[in-house]
Amino acid sequence: MDQCPACGAETTRKDGVCAECGMRLEGPTASFEAIVEPSEPLEIIEVDIAEVPALVLRKGIEAGERFYLDQPRMTIGRDPSSSIFLNDVTVSRYHAVLYVESDGVRIEDAGSLNGTYVNDVVVAEAELSSGDSVQIGRFQMVFVSGVVA
C-alpha cells in the first residue's frame, strides 16, 4: 500500500486520485532521456537582483516563476511538501536539496532517478554561481545569486 502525499490516506498504485482528499496521484517517477545540448539558445528572462538568491524558471510549465532561496535548507521535488514543488513525473518526489549559506548556495542531488544538472553536466553536488543553469527533470532554471547575508 502507498500513501497520499497530501493527506496520508492509503492508496494503491492503480489509483489516479486520492479517495480521501481528491489529490491527483502521479505514481512513480518516470524515467526520461535528458536533452542536454550545449548552449541551446533560450529566451532571455530579465531578472532583478534580489536581497536573497533565487532560481528563475526559464523552461517548463511556469516559465518566469521565481523561487526565492530564503531558508538555510530547501528541498526540490514532486512531493507537495517540498520547498520548491515541481509537479511533473520527470521529477523525483525528493529530487535535490539546496543549502543557502553565508558564502553561497550549494545544490545536492538526493538520489533522484533522472539526475540534477548544473550547466548541462549531471552533478551529485555543486556550488552555484550567478547565471548557472540548473535542470531538474524537464524544468530548466537559472540561478541568480542575489545578496547572500
Side-chain angles (χ1 to χ4, degrees):
M1 275 298 195
D2 291 325
Q3 285 188 327
C4 172
C7 71
E10 288 187 5
T11 62
T12 67
R13 294 194 184 270
K14 295 179 182 178
D15 293 337
V17 294
C18 175
E20 293 294 318
C21 70
M23 179 174 176
R24 185 171 169 235
L25 302 173
E26 294 291 332
T29 303
S31 179
F32 82 114
E33 186 69 31
I35 301 171
V36 180
E37 298 175 5
S39 303
E40 177 183 317
L42 294 171
E43 178 182 337
I44 302 295
I45 295 175
E46 289 193 28
V47 178
D48 295 328
I49 299 292
E51 290 293 318
V52 296
L55 285 173
V56 180
L57 199 57
R58 67 177 183 186
K59 186 176 181 184
I61 299 167
E62 299 289 330
E65 184 173 355
R66 290 168 170 80
F67 301 103
Y68 293 102
L69 310 183
D70 56 0
Q71 299 169 24
R73 181 183 183 276
M74 298 182 70
T75 57
I76 302 173
R78 197 179 76 235
D79 187 278
S81 67
S82 297
S83 307
I84 298 176
F85 174 54
L86 301 176
N87 192 14
D88 186 83
V89 296
T90 61
V91 177
S92 294
R93 282 186 175 86
Y94 306 100
H95 201 103
V97 180
L98 291 160
Y99 295 95
V100 181
E101 300 162 342
S102 61
D103 59 344
V105 176
R106 181 171 44 93
I107 190 167
E108 283 184 12
D109 187 80
S112 67
L113 177 64
N114 292 316
T116 298
Y117 292 80
V118 175
N119 297 326
D120 303 330
V121 176
V122 68
V123 298
E125 178 180 329
E127 292 289 328
L128 297 178
S129 298
S130 197
D132 281 350
S133 171
V134 176
Q135 184 163 340
I136 305 281
R138 291 187 181 121
F139 295 89
Q140 216 172 58
M141 299 168 274
V142 64
F143 174 71
V144 179
S145 64
V147 180
V148 181

